[in-house]
């Protein structure tokens, strides 16, 4: 059974930084795409950053220039470096891995880690 576990969240002040980590277990293959999503209270879950197996990246406009997504070249591990955090970044951050293997799609989620940014 594949599991994703996020860590690195916490309470910080505006302008500070955090680094989130996503560690996977139980997979016998390298994930195609990995991503970070977030969900603030009363809002829908939204895509923050996305990285392909070839390390191509995509960012939501709200985090461009402040957040950086990366992944280990061979391990199913992803990171999100968050700099110059703002109160509007406050949310639960989720790690996601998706793709296709043996002709079948897969879509795995972690339980989330809370990020709170005070002004």
């Amino acid at each position: 059974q594949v599991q994703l576990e996020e860590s690195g969240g916490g309470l910080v002040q505006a302008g500070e930084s955090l680094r989130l980590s996503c560690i996977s277990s139980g997979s016998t293959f390298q994930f195609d795409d990995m991503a970070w999503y977030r969900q603030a209270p009363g809002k829908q879950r939204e895509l923050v950053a996305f990285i392909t197996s070839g390390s191509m990246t995509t960012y939501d406009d709200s985090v461009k220039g402040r957040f950086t997504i990366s992944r280990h070249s061979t391990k199913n591990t992803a990171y999100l470096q968050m700099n110059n955090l703002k109160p509007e970044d406050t949310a639960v951050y989720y790690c996601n891995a998706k793709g296709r293997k043996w002709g079948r799609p897969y879509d795995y989620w972690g339980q989330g880690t809370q990020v709170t940014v005070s002004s």
Side-chain angles (χ1 to χ4, degrees):
Q1 180 179 357
V2 175
Q3 292 185 322
L4 302 181
E5 182 174 1
E6 304 94 339
S7 62
L11 171 63
V12 297
Q13 293 188 332
E16 295 184 338
S17 299
L18 283 173
R19 178 177 169 87
L20 304 184
S21 298
C22 174
I23 308 298
S24 69
S25 61
S27 175
T28 60
F29 56 90
Q30 185 175 1
F31 298 143
D32 293 328
D33 303 322
M34 298 190 75
W36 288 94
Y37 287 75
R38 67 185 178 188
Q39 187 167 18
K43 295 187 177 181
Q44 290 188 330
R45 190 172 297 188
E46 63 178 6
L47 177 65
V48 175
F50 179 91
I51 185 166
T52 68
S53 57
S55 294
M56 294 184 64
T57 59
T58 303
Y59 296 93
D60 183 80
D61 286 344
S62 66
V63 306
K64 282 181 181 177
R66 300 188 298 121
F67 290 10
T68 302
I69 187 171
S70 61
R71 64 187 293 177
H72 192 281
S73 60
T74 57
K75 298 178 182 178
N76 288 326
T77 302
Y79 306 95
L80 186 67
Q81 177 66 42
M82 306 186 295
N83 298 329
N84 190 23
L85 282 159
K86 303 177 180 181
E88 51 264 42
D89 295 319
T90 295
V92 178
Y93 284 70
Y94 298 90
C95 179
N96 173 255
K98 59 168 58 74
R100 297 186 70 87
K101 190 67 177 178
W102 303 299
R104 300 173 64 179
Y106 60 86
D107 189 5
Y108 304 126
W109 292 88
Q111 293 299 307
T113 185
Q114 176 70 46
V115 172
T116 303
V117 185
S118 63
S119 58

